[in-house]
Amino acid sequence: MSQQGESSATTFVKPYGLEGRRTKVYVNMIELKKYPEQEIYQYDVELSPERGAFKKLPAPEFMRSVFEQAMRTHRTTTLKGIPLVYDARKIAYAPSPICGPKEELMLDVTYIESGRSEKFNIRIRQAAIINTTILTEYIRGRSSASVADIQPALAALDLAVGSVVRTQMVGFNRSFFTREGSKVTSGGLELWRGFSFSIRPGVDRLYLNVNTAVTAMYAPGSLLDSLLNLLDMRNASQLRGGLSQQIVRTLGSYLRGVILYLTHRGIQGKRKFSVKGMTTKPLDKESFEWEDPTRPGQPEMITIEKYYQRRYNIKLEYPFLPGLVGRKNAVFPIELCDIGENQRYKGKLDDKQTADMVTFACKRPNENMSSINTVISSLGIGSSPVVKSFGMEIPNKLAEVDARVLPPPTIIYNKKSRQSSLAPNTGAWNMRDKLVTSAGRPLQHWAVLVLANQNFAPKARVQNFITALVDACNNTGYPIAQAQPPLVYGNPNSDIGREMEKACNSIRMPKGEAPQMLLVILPTTNAQVYQTVKNCAYTTLGVQTQCMQAKHIQRANSQYCANLCLKLNAKMGGTNQSLDGTDLQKMLRNKPTLVMGCDVTHPGPGERNKPSIASVVGSTDLMGLRYAATLIQLPSRQELVKLLMEAVMRHLKLFYAATKIKPHHIIFYRDGISETQFAQTRDREITEILRACSSIQAGYKPDVTFIAVLKRHNTRFYPMGRDGDKTGNCIPGTVIDRSITFAPLFDFYLFAHAAIQGTSRPTHYVVLHNDIGFTADELQKLTYSLCFTYAICTRSVSLVPPVYYAHRVADRARCHLVEMGMEFEDASSAADEYYTAGTAIGSRTTGTEATGPTKLIKTHSRLDSTMYFM
């Protein structure tokens, strides 16, 4: 096997590309003038109350506050002035030893919060000595270490940098935020700006990466005001008469994990607590047994409302609201609670909040670069004694790196087109004077199902739109044999499967034929209706579907109709555009090549009862234009793809069935893995690919190139001078493979797309295995060219299409598993008479991660080998 760099102890000869116009770009990284060459000492930290122990570790902010108080107390004495940086859980690092290998250091500290004093013990033991020469060897390409092996050293340096940033900003892991310039959004939340900081290995150097970031934070202050904002209500009186189950779920999702403070004149200081539930009864009806201190020995049943009036002389203004349940089942009135400051919201944002977040985060490249320059100057990281003690010298200047701009490929359309070929320099073009490269099966047996109200989508208007769509398809080279399909109205609130079946039955066709297509006009963007339509199509009816919103039929826009045409043609077996065949085969070394893409997607925040989904796609033609898909259900949050061998076998058979030849090469683009999983994923999944090949035929062993695709990274580039596009981003075709890439790996960053707004993010491609022996120029050119072949748009895309298709397939998997959508337990009285963490404060869960069976998810046989997911 030809594994890349990380498997060899000899110096790795890193491949670099040479093709393209040379240029320079700024990168959001600062080159370290000096980096550590001494040992770093790692310590286990056990922080506990003086009496007893934590049942579970408190919030990181609390742990860090106690630890920092201990450092202030003992720094000049016990610690001898040696700085100790702490991860707020169980690990700390120091640049010099603070105790011997077998010694134990015990620090005591008194911590005061909200007027309350508490004593803690901190037990420190040496866990490891990190030899930083591994970093030097790694960045010089001379190490057999993997990215995962250098993580302990990088983690120590990250904490050292973070300890400086945290003094001026609110930190969460490697990201730090400030309320200055924040924006209020809906649902009791605010949007904050900030930055991420991390030490990154480059070629012969280390860098500090600084990137802009945004996050959602709880709006501090009155809890009642925030909850009314969340529920879009003017006052609490609207909640008289009890809470619906939907409101309970909404409140529970918002309150999960938030720290609240009880502040009223009856207690000293502020009492901090977190919510574990909500009473099922309002405070004027929720009662408990209480003994009045003025009447000892006479317990009585009393409501929460009367308790606060008698105990604290507080008359509750909203006794009809439920109470919040904290530790030991103590109940607190919502109106007496405040949300604490500096708390990050970890739940899922709704559509309005997401739109606000996108708008808030969208800044031009020069604006982001300017804000990064400003923050690195103001923080003074390089002058920090802590940073210097760890052997780092960090200037206040962003680095410049060499880049190249690759020429665009030639795009081919049908020979009958007025313009049958073009090379789009801007990464975008249109269908004017062009016919699709090859038409799919003519659309003969199809129908239109209207799930919108007939008043909003009258028959005449729908028919006008259909006429315009048919004309657009015919003019674009995709023939519609039946220009007047049956038109059926259905009820989106009824059995949608039955409505779809009714539409299919309205199609006149010969016996033995099956419906080809349903054009489904939806009333809104309601995800449940859409997913149900797709679920029925994929699993029961076996019919292609094209969904659209009813608002688009009001005026038949030619561009919208042309876009629908591209989708219809792709689903019906056609190809919309292609690369020049001679150029592509040269890039593929004139060998039949199976191009594959794979991605693993995980359930969202709080959705612990849902499985992870692996999606695998494989090309079914010699041009890498048409793809089939395979879905694999995995246990929740599992990264490695089980059953990959079975999936690859399926795609080998589909490729052979379509081309009548076995592939000599397999190019496998793998998304969904992190840098620390490179070696593990490569070793396991390449083995599965080769096992699939030998299972097809003994001795069959095509050459494999395995490429990790990383999109979720913090590296950004900014063009110099006027060498950018109209949005100020790097132009399509810009590739960077020097200085800031991994020294012992074959990798590159590629801008394949034209940005529409904001700061463009390149895709990072890391070659983990290369039996085919691609050079840097060959693989960079091939990957960039494939980005122009995405089936349903006339522009190059940021991700290589097989990965993009795998994303779409994984997204469609929600339709296969529509019955596994987010659920909550019934909001009914629990045994201790409050809504529990499984209802009001959480999602439906058994308390453990889902461990459902690993299995292939079946699609209807009529769709199985098609691009139904477009």
Side-chain angles (χ1 to χ4, degrees):
M1 290 187 184
S2 176
Q3 297 181 351
Q4 297 299 301
E6 292 195 351
S7 64
S8 174
T10 59
T11 301
F12 174 66
V13 180
K14 186 176 177 68
Y16 293 112
L18 300 173
E19 290 189 16
R21 174 175 63 84
R22 294 190 177 187
T23 185
K24 279 185 175 291
V25 293
Y26 293 109
V27 62
N28 64 337
M29 295 191 187
I30 303 167
E31 182 182 338
L32 273 62
K33 289 184 178 180
K34 182 182 176 184
Y35 51 84
E37 296 181 356
Q38 81 271 23
E39 293 173 332
I40 295 175
Y41 296 82
Q42 179 177 326
Y43 294 93
D44 288 336
V45 176
E46 184 181 332
L47 192 156
S48 60
E50 186 180 48
R51 297 179 180 179
F54 295 124
K55 290 184 178 179
K56 67 175 184 177
L57 288 181
E61 294 78 14
F62 177 81
M63 298 283 283
R64 184 174 285 107
S65 296
V66 176
F67 187 86
E68 289 176 352
Q69 177 61 42
M71 295 301 100
R72 288 189 290 270
T73 303
H74 298 280
R75 180 170 289 126
T76 58
T77 54
T78 309
L79 297 175
K80 303 173 185 178
I82 299 171
L84 203 60
V85 293
Y86 177 49
D87 73 348
R89 306 321 284 159
K90 294 184 176 183
I91 297 175
Y93 300 94
S96 304
I98 60 171
C99 62
K102 296 183 180 180
E103 296 175 354
E104 182 176 280
L105 194 64
M106 181 70 78
L107 306 178
D108 58 83
V109 60
T110 300
Y111 181 68
I112 300 173
E113 183 182 39
S114 301
R116 296 187 175 191
S117 174
E118 190 173 358
K119 292 186 177 181
F120 295 90
N121 294 325
I122 301 177
R123 181 179 284 106
I124 299 174
R125 292 185 292 265
Q126 189 180 108
I129 299 176
I130 301 170
N131 189 341
T132 58
T133 57
I134 191 174
L135 284 176
T136 304
E137 293 295 304
Y138 189 87
I139 63 179
R140 292 176 182 171
R142 296 204 299 256
S143 175
S144 60
S146 68
V147 179
D149 294 328
I150 63 173
Q151 288 306 305
L154 295 180
L157 302 183
D158 285 345
L159 280 176
V161 171
S163 68
V164 180
V165 183
R166 198 178 298 278
T167 61
Q168 301 181 49
M169 305 175 80
V170 179
F172 306 98
N173 298 321
R174 293 180 177 88
S175 297
F176 303 84
F177 301 90
T178 175
R179 198 178 184 191
E180 182 180 346
S182 63
K183 174 184 178 179
V184 175
T185 185
S186 60
L189 301 180
E190 298 176 343
L191 303 179
W192 288 21
R193 296 192 192 279
F195 302 87
S196 64
F197 296 81
S198 61
I199 301 295
R200 299 282 301 168
V203 179
D204 284 327
R205 63 208 86 186
L206 287 179
Y207 291 92
L208 172 62
N209 174 258
V210 185
N211 194 29
T212 56
V214 294
T215 193
M217 304 284 287
Y218 286 96
S222 167
L223 173 63
L224 181 60
D225 288 348
S226 288
L227 295 185
L228 292 177
N229 185 305
L230 175 70
L231 300 174
D232 195 22
M233 293 181 177
R234 291 188 176 183
N235 57 69
S237 297
Q238 293 175 257
L239 293 171
R240 287 184 182 275
L243 307 184
S244 68
Q245 291 188 15
Q246 182 57 48
I247 288 179
V248 168
R249 293 167 187 156
T250 301
L251 297 182
S253 177
Y254 180 80
L255 292 170
R256 185 188 300 121
V258 69
I259 299 298
L260 301 176
Y261 288 89
L262 185 68
T263 56
H264 60 77
R265 59 182 178 272
I267 61 174
Q268 292 183 342
K270 298 188 298 182
R271 180 182 297 178
K272 181 173 72 172
F273 72 99
S274 58
V275 184
K276 72 172 186 178
M278 188 183 301
T279 61
T280 57
K281 300 174 185 177
L283 297 177
D284 57 3
K285 292 185 172 59
E286 187 74 43
S287 60
F288 68 104
E289 188 175 77
W290 178 61
E291 186 176 297
D292 191 331
T294 64
R295 299 162 62 187
Q298 300 181 44
E300 59 181 303
M301 294 300 294
I302 187 173
T303 64
I304 303 293
E305 177 194 18
K306 290 183 179 179
Y307 167 79
Y308 271 86
Q309 188 167 2
R310 286 173 55 181
R311 181 74 174 86
Y312 300 115
N313 196 27
I314 295 175
K315 183 173 176 59
L316 296 180
E317 189 174 353
Y318 307 107
F320 52 83
L321 293 178
L324 301 177
V325 182
R327 285 184 60 204
K328 299 181 180 179
N329 293 345
V331 177
F332 307 105
I334 291 173
E335 63 188 85
L336 300 182
C337 296
D338 285 346
I339 297 175
E341 295 182 336
N342 302 333
Q343 296 191 72
R344 195 178 195 176
Y345 178 70
K346 298 178 182 179
K348 185 177 180 180
L349 300 180
D350 63 27
D351 291 344
K352 170 69 166 58
Q353 293 163 343
T354 301
D356 285 347
M357 177 75 85
V358 170
T359 302
F360 186 68
C362 183
K363 297 178 71 175
R364 290 177 65 88
N366 61 328
E367 295 174 325
N368 276 335
M369 183 176 168
S370 176
S371 64
I372 290 172
N373 280 323
T374 300
V375 78
I376 60 178
S377 297
S378 64
L379 289 173
I381 296 172
S383 60
S384 163
V386 174
V387 168
K388 289 180 179 178
S389 72
F390 277 86
M392 292 184 285
E393 187 175 332
I394 304 175
N396 292 337
K397 181 184 177 183
L398 293 183
E400 302 175 8
V401 295
D402 292 324
R404 291 171 291 112
V405 180
L406 303 178
T410 300
I411 307 300
I412 302 298
Y413 282 92
N414 193 291
K415 292 180 179 180
K416 296 179 181 179
S417 306
R418 290 184 183 180
Q419 184 183 16
S420 59
S421 66
L422 73 156
N425 285 311
T426 61
W429 64 100
N430 57 53
M431 286 296 294
R432 190 178 301 116
D433 298 329
K434 302 174 189 69
L435 302 175
V436 295
T437 303
S438 64
R441 295 181 301 281
L443 205 50
Q444 175 72 46
H445 309 309
W446 67 301
V448 180
L449 174 60
V450 185
L451 293 178
N453 187 286
Q454 193 161 353
N455 292 328
F456 183 70
K459 188 173 183 179
R461 194 170 295 164
V462 174
Q463 288 176 332
N464 287 339
F465 177 84
I466 298 303
T467 299
L469 176 62
V470 169
D471 289 343
C473 289
N474 288 327
N475 293 336
T476 311
Y478 176 56
I480 305 292
Q482 173 54 272
Q484 294 181 322
L487 179 58
V488 178
Y489 282 86
N491 182 356
N493 299 315
S494 65
D495 185 337
I496 291 178
R498 189 171 299 169
E499 301 287 5
M500 293 173 67
E501 194 170 351
K502 182 173 66 175
C504 289
N505 292 336
S506 70
I507 302 171
R508 294 183 179 180
M509 51 192 167
K511 189 175 181 180
E513 292 284 337
Q516 294 175 292
M517 174 73 66
L518 283 183
L519 178 66
V520 183
I521 300 177
L522 302 174
T524 64
T525 57
N526 183 289
Q528 187 66 36
V529 175
Y530 174 84
Q531 289 178 359
T532 304
V533 167
K534 293 296 184 179
N535 176 267
C536 293
Y538 296 163
T539 61
T540 306
L541 299 176
V543 60
Q544 299 283 2
T545 51
Q546 180 58 55
C547 293
M548 60 173 287
Q549 292 181 49
K551 66 180 182 181
H552 292 296
I553 69 164
Q554 307 307 317
R555 187 173 63 87
N557 180 278
S558 58
Q559 182 62 53
Y560 182 79
C561 290
N563 290 341
L564 280 186
C565 172
L566 297 182
K567 292 186 176 184
L568 293 174
N569 189 45
K571 289 176 180 179
M572 297 307 294
T575 55
N576 294 323
Q577 73 263 15
S578 69
L579 300 172
D580 179 88
T582 302
D583 291 347
L584 178 62
Q585 290 308 315
K586 183 179 178 181
M587 287 186 276
L588 296 176
R589 300 189 168 187
N590 294 304
K591 300 286 187 180
T593 301
L594 170 62
V595 184
M596 301 189 70
C598 177
D599 185 27
V600 178
T601 58
H602 304 292
E607 298 179 316
R608 292 179 295 175
N609 61 324
K610 295 177 68 175
S612 291
I613 298 293
S615 50
V616 181
V617 302
S619 58
T620 57
D621 66 343
L622 297 173
M623 295 292 288
L625 299 175
R626 296 202 50 76
Y627 288 79
T630 303
L631 278 168
I632 305 172
Q633 178 178 315
L634 300 173
S636 186
R637 309 200 178 280
Q638 178 173 300
E639 292 285 357
L640 295 177
V641 180
K642 293 183 179 179
L643 300 184
L644 182 60
M645 183 184 83
E646 288 80 352
V648 174
M649 286 177 61
R650 177 174 180 270
H651 287 287
L652 287 168
K653 293 175 181 178
L654 289 172
F655 184 90
Y656 182 82
T659 65
K660 307 305 179 189
I661 189 170
K662 293 194 295 292
H664 293 192
H665 292 165
I666 297 176
I667 303 174
F668 197 96
Y669 288 97
R670 174 67 155 90
D671 197 4
I673 57 173
S674 65
E675 294 170 353
T676 57
Q677 296 170 320
F678 282 168
Q680 181 187 20
T681 304
R682 175 197 63 201
D683 295 343
R684 178 179 178 129
E685 296 188 0
I686 289 175
T687 299
E688 292 293 293
I689 293 169
L690 295 177
R691 284 179 60 201
C693 296
S694 60
S695 296
I696 293 288
Q697 182 180 343
Y700 172 50
K701 189 179 180 182
D703 291 333
V704 176
T705 290
F706 190 98
I707 307 158
V709 181
L710 290 84
K711 192 69 175 174
R712 294 184 179 92
H713 59 79
N714 286 314
T715 305
R716 302 291 183 271
F717 300 94
Y718 313 103
M720 291 186 177
R722 298 183 178 180
D723 200 17
D725 63 12
K726 61 183 181 182
T727 66
N729 283 288
C730 295
I731 61 177
T734 301
V735 63
I736 300 96
D737 61 4
R738 298 172 186 269
S739 300
I740 49 82
T741 52
F742 292 119
L745 288 171
F746 174 4
D747 65 322
F748 57 92
Y749 291 88
L750 174 65
F751 288 90
H753 66 299
I756 297 175
Q757 62 179 2
T759 301
S760 184
R761 174 167 46 186
T763 300
H764 189 190
Y765 296 92
V766 184
V767 183
L768 300 180
H769 186 91
N770 191 18
D771 275 346
I772 298 175
F774 283 122
T775 66
D777 279 324
E778 287 175 329
L779 194 56
Q780 290 166 10
K781 185 177 179 180
L782 172 63
T783 301
Y784 181 46
S785 297
L786 288 175
C787 289
F788 284 76
T789 65
Y790 187 62
I792 58 172
C793 68
T794 53
R795 59 188 307 123
S796 55
V797 291
S798 61
L799 277 172
V800 68
V803 170
Y804 213 137
Y805 294 147
H807 280 315
R808 289 186 70 95
V809 173
D811 185 58
R812 297 298 185 270
R814 286 198 288 262
C815 305
H816 288 271
L817 305 173
V818 68
E819 73 281 359
M820 298 185 70
M822 187 68 173
E823 292 183 53
F824 292 80
E825 291 181 2
D826 290 336
S828 56
S829 177
D832 43 6
E833 297 193 351
Y834 61 85
Y835 295 129
T836 67
T839 52
I841 316 300
S843 63
R844 180 177 178 183
T845 175
T846 60
T848 59
E849 298 293 302
T851 56
T854 300
K855 62 181 181 180
L856 296 179
I857 301 173
K858 298 294 185 181
T859 304
H860 197 285
S861 58
R862 284 198 291 268
L863 305 180
D864 205 27
S865 60
T866 72
M867 296 181 74
Y868 68 88
F869 45 85
M870 299 309 294

